[in-house]
Amino acid sequence: MDDHVVSVLSNIGVISFVALSAYLLLLTGEISFGQQAFFGIGAYAAAIATAMWGWPLAAGLMLGALAGASSALLVGLPTLRLHGLYFAVATLAFAEMIRILLELFHYQVAVDGELVGPNGTDGFGGIRYVFQNKIGAFEYMLLIYTLLATALAGLWLLERSRLGVAFRMIGGDETLAKTSGIAITRHRMIAAALAGALAGIGGGLYAHLTTYIEPRIFDIMLGVHALAYGLIGGLGTALGPLLGVLIDIGLLGSTRLFSGYRMIVFGGLVAVLLIFRPRGLLNEEMVHRIGSFWRRVWPTDPSQKSHGKT
Amino acid sequence: MLELSGLSKHFGGVRAVDGVNLKVGRGDIVGLIGPNGSGKSTIVNLICGLFPPTAGNVLLAGKDITSLPTHIRVGMGIARTFQNIRLFGQLSVWQNLWVAQNSDQHRKDGSFLKRWLGAPGAARAEIDRTLEFFNLEKKRDELAANLSFGEQRRLEMARALAANPSLLLLDEPAAGMNAEEIEQLDERIRTLRKTGITILLIEHHMELVMAVTDRVAVLNFGQKIADGGPAEIQANPQVREAYLGSSNVK
């Protein structure tokens, strides 16, 4: 496969994790402008683990996920009782705080006679685990997509579970969810932790893909994109945000179709969709219709009819 | 079953509910009537804890639940419908009932995975029965948003019943219904009475209220002005003056 294609696809795969992270919170009706912070925390945590402590990649990624989830819980405690705009602003403020803290973060150790580790605004280079272990770009891309497929399978199950349906209920009508016996704050905390873990894994993968990270990468633009992917691609299925990433990076970014005007086209696309299709291309209605069509073409055994599925 | 004592809710200077005392016995069907803005819906909101009262207490089966959050009260057996239809439009009819089911009651049924990804046999059968009772069985896989108005009204009540409540609060269930639909609603409430469920019915449709309730309480400007049997209420001159008017009574 062409190097350029591999690099674009790897990028799409990694960014999909932040998009899924923002999507999960959108399901519960919360708009977060701060998921890039958990992506950044995951990136730093995973990179420190492999490059400085000599951990294997799997353990590093797990640490990234854990760091993402636990920091999301920590932020969630005071902010998840906020609503709408207040929550959005709180998450934005938190994310900027993390970015600035990363700029002040110096922690370096000598590895093979060379200083490695986060060095404030100068970033964190030499995350060479993939290179040192002779993992090719193509193999690494396969790893990214294996993990992405696992995450998607997990979300697919989640959305069919009581928990996932409860997420959608909270997002749909909070008062009604409450009077249906759903503990709103607890459910939002679970969603935030899962979203933090997703972003954390994505960050870990990103750090090892680029071998160099710096605080600037995890700025508000990444968070805005992560939100926009779900809003473009659709909130009816976890494949929605992936479609959003594909449209942005795959179509607008890599084909250089609109070169300098890319951000204008992207912004316009978001605005148009928010007006005409507020829940994105693959919204619940669309997913339901595809599901009904599917059932008609391949009818399932009526004795074990799966009512829960859409 | 349900007891309100000195219940008040003030919004700024407005006394939406002002020192209301009301007792609803187990298995009773009690009507709550009053002109628009007399505080009926506010009382329902106070009973399910959507906001705290300014003063007074709400007791359920003798237990003070005034400071409990909504979802705990729902777990204790309170379910409600809304005056304006509220449904999870993006979920299927089946899913609307599935998650509304009180999971505690099915906790020992089937495996963990089965409960989380579907419903174990007994829970499933219960949903099927509820769907049938409300004549919605053909719509189970439809998105709630795509149902007709009448179907949505029925689904709203089905969702409330799916939680298997001991106290059901119906907030104007007949609003916007035609005569035939009201007739069906009347029959359903009568059938429900046999199951021993307690119902607080808020309704403007007097014929329905007088036909199905054991007792009627009348609110005016947040205060209870009368409480008694349907016939007694209809004859009460104070009620006629405040609410029914003189010529509007059917």
Side-chain angles (χ1 to χ4, degrees):
Chain A
M1 213 185 265
D2 188 330
D3 279 355
H4 178 63
V5 174
V6 170
S7 115
V8 169
L9 285 180
S10 299
N11 211 12
I12 289 177
V14 166
I15 296 301
S16 293
F17 278 94
V18 216
L20 287 175
S21 175
Y23 162 79
L24 202 51
L25 280 179
L26 279 174
L27 281 192
T28 68
E30 294 278 36
I31 295 177
S32 164
F33 280 106
Q35 296 313 105
Q36 72 276 17
F38 308 119
F39 189 72
I41 288 170
Y44 270 83
I48 287 172
T50 64
M52 298 169 70
W53 301 342
W55 288 18
L57 183 60
L61 289 177
M62 259 186 253
L63 183 71
L66 204 69
S70 47
S71 47
L73 275 179
L74 220 62
V75 187
L77 277 175
T79 58
L80 277 171
R81 285 170 202 280
L82 301 175
H83 297 289
L85 199 56
Y86 301 102
F87 179 79
V89 171
T91 49
L92 172 61
F94 160 78
E96 283 298 280
M97 192 179 83
I98 291 295
R99 189 179 59 80
I100 291 163
L101 282 178
L102 287 176
E103 283 182 358
L104 301 172
F105 184 34
H106 296 271
Y107 166 51
Q108 294 190 297
V109 292
V111 178
D112 302 330
E114 205 183 319
L115 273 181
V116 176
N119 188 21
T121 45
D122 287 339
F124 179 176
I127 308 163
R128 284 194 288 262
Y129 183 93
V130 172
F131 172 73
Q132 280 162 353
N133 287 276
K134 300 193 172 51
I135 301 170
F138 183 73
E139 285 168 274
Y140 192 67
M141 184 194 81
L142 286 184
L143 172 70
I144 292 172
Y145 277 92
T146 309
L147 288 177
L148 185 61
T150 313
L152 281 173
L155 284 171
W156 189 84
L157 278 177
L158 175 80
E159 288 190 31
R160 269 145 196 81
S161 78
R162 217 168 250 283
L163 186 65
V165 173
F167 284 172
R168 271 190 201 281
M169 286 176 133
I170 295 170
D173 185 336
E174 203 180 315
T175 304
L176 184 53
K178 248 190 245 173
T179 53
S180 298
I182 291 165
I184 308 284
T185 308
R186 195 169 66 208
H187 277 80
R188 282 217 165 112
M189 290 299 280
I190 297 171
L194 290 174
L198 276 174
I201 294 178
L205 287 169
Y206 176 82
H208 291 87
L209 176 70
T210 57
T211 73
Y212 170 79
I213 49 179
E214 58 178 342
R216 210 155 49 89
I217 298 165
F218 311 110
D219 73 353
I220 172 72
M221 278 318 282
L222 180 60
V224 172
H225 274 88
L227 266 179
Y229 292 143
L231 294 175
I232 292 176
L235 301 177
T237 157
L239 294 176
L242 259 60
L243 179 66
V245 179
L246 210 64
I247 290 173
D248 179 42
I249 302 182
L251 203 68
L252 298 180
S254 62
T255 58
R256 303 195 174 87
L257 212 55
F258 299 98
S259 55
Y261 301 104
R262 175 181 163 191
M263 282 317 297
I264 297 173
V265 173
F266 183 72
L269 192 63
V270 174
V272 168
L273 277 165
L274 278 179
I275 294 166
F276 294 106
R277 218 174 157 94
R279 292 186 75 80
L281 293 170
L282 292 171
N283 60 12
E284 286 88 346
E285 176 71 44
M286 178 64 98
V287 171
H288 179 71
R289 254 191 248 159
I290 295 171
S292 313
F293 176 74
W294 212 256
R295 272 196 299 272
R296 240 179 298 135
V297 180
W298 287 284
T300 41
D301 183 4
S303 65
Q304 40 180 311
K305 201 173 165 193
S306 38
H307 302 309
K309 290 164 189 175
T310 42
Chain B
M1 183 69 205
L2 174 74
E3 188 179 344
L4 311 178
S5 69
L7 198 63
S8 295
K9 179 69 189 178
H10 302 171
F11 295 106
V14 181
R15 300 179 165 205
V17 176
D18 197 8
V20 169
N21 295 302
L22 182 69
K23 270 188 186 176
V24 181
R26 191 175 294 275
D28 284 356
I29 298 187
V30 173
L32 188 58
I33 62 173
N36 284 322
S38 59
K40 305 182 302 290
S41 289
T42 307
I43 286 189
V44 174
N45 288 339
L46 288 170
I47 295 173
C48 43
L50 289 184
F51 38 65
T54 311
N57 295 305
V58 180
L59 277 77
L60 183 71
K63 247 197 221 150
D64 191 340
I65 59 167
T66 316
S67 54
L68 295 179
T70 302
H71 68 271
I72 304 280
R73 299 185 192 204
V74 173
M76 290 169 77
I78 298 180
R80 71 168 292 179
T81 64
F82 288 85
Q83 191 176 339
N84 311 308
I85 298 180
R86 285 181 108 142
L87 289 166
F88 300 110
Q90 314 290 5
L91 298 176
S92 73
V93 168
W94 194 87
Q95 284 176 321
N96 265 279
L97 298 191
W98 176 46
V99 180
Q101 270 191 328
N102 220 333
S103 57
D104 282 1
Q105 291 165 6
H106 301 287
R107 190 153 280 172
K108 289 188 181 107
D109 256 15
S111 70
F112 175 80
L113 264 183
K114 222 174 167 180
R115 266 200 321 277
W116 273 77
L117 290 174
R124 179 163 297 227
E126 205 177 282
I127 296 177
D128 286 347
R129 272 202 305 278
T130 310
L131 284 174
E132 225 167 282
F133 184 58
F134 286 96
N135 202 6
L136 285 167
E137 67 271 22
K138 287 197 184 90
K139 300 283 177 177
R140 68 158 32 116
D141 289 322
E142 196 53 69
L143 288 187
N146 296 343
L147 298 183
S148 72
F149 178 81
E151 288 165 345
Q152 291 192 347
R153 271 257 173 258
R154 299 208 296 275
L155 177 58
E156 165 129 48
M157 207 162 142
R159 191 203 57 232
L161 275 178
N164 207 358
S166 46
L167 174 66
L168 180 61
L169 311 168
L170 297 175
D171 196 352
E172 297 195 26
M177 280 186 171
N178 60 33
E180 192 195 332
E181 288 169 330
I182 291 177
E183 183 62 33
Q184 290 170 353
L185 177 65
D186 183 311
E187 271 169 42
R188 287 202 177 93
I189 293 178
R190 283 166 199 274
T191 312
L192 283 176
R193 174 204 290 277
K194 288 176 201 146
T195 65
I197 193 172
T198 310
I199 298 178
L200 185 65
L201 172 68
I202 291 177
E203 191 46 70
H204 275 307
H205 197 275
M206 281 312 125
E207 234 176 303
L208 180 68
V209 175
M210 296 307 165
V212 301
T213 57
D214 306 305
R215 227 177 78 223
V216 179
V218 187
L219 285 181
N220 199 18
F221 297 114
Q223 291 178 332
K224 193 170 84 173
I225 57 168
D227 190 342
E232 191 185 329
I233 290 297
Q234 269 177 313
N236 186 322
Q238 212 186 341
V239 175
R240 296 177 82 99
E241 191 188 317
Y243 178 57
L244 298 169
S246 45
S247 56
N248 290 343
V249 192
K250 286 183 182 172

